[in-house]
Amino acid sequence: MVKLSAARYGKDNIRLLKVERDATNPKLQYVFEFTIRVMLEGHIASAYTHADNAPVVTTDSMKNTTHILAKKNPVSPPELFASILGTHFVTTYDHIQKAFVHIVQHRWTRYAVDGVPHEYSFVRDGEEVRVADAEVDESGEILLSGGIADLLVLKSTGSAFYGYIQDKYTTLPETWDRIMSTAIDSTWTFKPFENLEAVRSAVDNFEEGYQSARNITLKTFALDDSASVQATLFKMCKLILAANSLINDVKYALPNKHYFEIDLSWFEGLKNTGADAQVYAPQSNPNGLITATVSRDD
Ligand SMILES: O=c1[nH]c(=O)c2[nH]c(=O)[nH]c2[nH]1
């Protein structure tokens, strides 16, 4: 005998771009480009176990609904739009108990022409994305998180790594000055919201949370005299929690992108290690992967 232990289905990679126009100057425009995943849970077992499509909200309808709700509602901040979309599914269909909405927001940053910010022209300034996740329950409760992914950073000094276990497996030399580079993947979870109205009342916190987490991440990466990726990561989390009272916990997943020194002394005694290191070999793999979640203990 077998049983269906878990089932969740939906539409992934729903793409949309929304243009919002300023009320008084329609040429002043704002653009938001998203890739969205909508997943639903509930009384849907018979679709799997009895080939019964009666409970199926089609994934095609989920895509249509996403487009329609994007037209009828603000899509920014993405935490709010994810909540609106998730709430729609659990309130429209009695048998749907949970909706999970994942939004990836791609960068379109307004740029300046001759020093003046242009009204409707934007640049993709990097592959970094902003992410938002909403988990909406049939009771109306909403669990929200925001985040950043693929923010690639590098510092050419200000990072050391020494004092670790030295045993028969160890070949890594200790260093007091190394290159540090990572692709920031950070997620912060907000305190639970009772319903969509509570999310609407807290709306300013989502943009503030994103801006402050991004600024803290970049500033700490630059200014911390890093003892390790682990230690720098923990400092970032502590600062984000101190700056945002609605955030419950912060997590990071930081790949350690290694750049190795190259010994060139075989060529005419060329000095290129330690304090003389300038030409490095970027490593694509393997890479370290340092992760942690930091939460409030009160
Ligand atoms: O910051 C680091 N943490 C580690 O755990 C580690 N391990 C390693 O080989 N290099 C590094 N760097």
Side-chain angles (χ1 to χ4, degrees):
M1 283 289 283
V2 297
K3 67 168 184 177
L4 184 72
S5 314
R8 186 186 291 182
Y9 79 105
K11 198 67 138 187
D12 198 7
N13 294 309
I14 304 169
R15 304 211 38 219
L16 69 85
L17 177 127
K18 184 172 187 191
V19 178
E20 292 184 354
R21 298 177 182 88
D22 187 78
T24 52
N25 171 12
K27 277 201 149 186
L28 176 57
Q29 308 196 345
Y30 303 84
V31 295
F32 305 93
E33 182 168 343
F34 292 165
T35 303
I36 301 177
R37 179 169 64 233
V38 176
M39 300 291 285
L40 302 181
E41 274 183 14
H43 298 293
I44 54 173
S46 63
Y48 294 78
T49 58
H50 290 80
D52 167 21
N53 288 335
V56 176
V57 178
T58 69
T59 69
D60 192 61
S61 306
M62 294 181 202
K63 174 259 299 171
N64 292 341
T65 305
T66 304
H67 291 156
I68 292 162
L69 293 190
K71 171 71 182 175
K72 293 172 78 164
N73 294 276
V75 296
S76 178
E79 291 87 348
L80 172 62
F81 186 60
S83 303
I84 292 172
L85 197 50
T87 302
H88 168 89
F89 289 106
V90 297
T91 54
T92 304
Y93 304 102
D94 282 347
H95 68 296
I96 296 301
Q97 296 170 307
K98 273 193 174 188
F100 301 81
V101 180
H102 174 68
I103 298 182
V104 175
Q105 179 172 1
H106 307 281
R107 283 179 84 79
W108 284 124
T109 303
R110 188 181 304 285
Y111 68 85
V113 175
D114 297 332
V116 182
H118 196 261
E119 291 168 308
Y120 49 83
S121 297
F122 306 87
V123 61
R124 172 69 46 87
D125 57 342
E127 291 312 308
E128 168 198 356
V129 291
R130 174 173 175 175
V131 293
D133 276 276
E135 182 181 325
V136 186
D137 192 70
E138 62 186 339
S139 70
E141 191 190 52
I142 302 178
L143 303 179
L144 272 183
S145 62
I148 298 167
D150 299 330
L151 171 58
L152 192 56
V153 289
L154 178 148
K155 64 197 280 190
S156 49
T157 187
S159 165
F161 190 58
Y162 54 84
Y164 44 82
I165 292 170
Q166 297 285 347
D167 61 14
K168 62 184 178 182
Y169 300 102
T170 311
T171 56
L172 185 75
E174 295 187 308
T175 177
W176 283 259
D177 185 8
R178 66 173 180 173
I179 288 180
M180 186 167 157
S181 176
T182 187
I184 307 282
D185 178 345
S186 173
T187 307
W188 47 92
T189 306
F190 292 94
K191 293 181 177 166
F193 294 94
E194 222 182 321
N195 51 36
L196 186 54
E197 280 324 298
V199 171
R200 288 191 199 282
S201 343
V203 75
D204 291 344
N205 288 279
F206 306 130
E207 190 61 29
E208 277 165 29
Y210 167 72
Q211 294 298 348
S212 94
R214 189 173 186 277
N215 290 340
I216 286 167
T217 300
L218 291 173
K219 188 170 173 181
T220 310
F221 182 80
L223 299 189
D224 184 38
D225 211 355
S226 177
S228 65
V229 177
Q230 287 91 328
T232 302
L233 179 161
F234 188 69
K235 287 181 189 172
M236 291 173 178
C237 293
K238 274 204 305 194
L239 289 166
I240 291 172
L241 287 170
N244 300 277
S245 59
L246 289 190
I247 292 179
N248 254 359
D249 60 63
V250 184
K251 75 178 180 216
Y252 279 85
L254 299 180
N256 192 1
K257 294 180 165 285
H258 306 298
Y259 287 77
F260 288 171
E261 291 186 2
I262 308 171
D263 184 352
L264 296 177
S265 60
W266 56 272
F267 184 83
E268 298 173 353
L270 208 51
K271 290 185 179 157
N272 190 53
T273 56
D276 298 307
Q278 284 185 288
V279 177
Y280 294 81
Q283 305 296 301
S284 45
N285 57 59
N287 59 273
L289 180 61
I290 313 298
T291 76
T293 303
V294 178
S295 27
R296 299 180 191 280
D297 64 0
D298 45 25

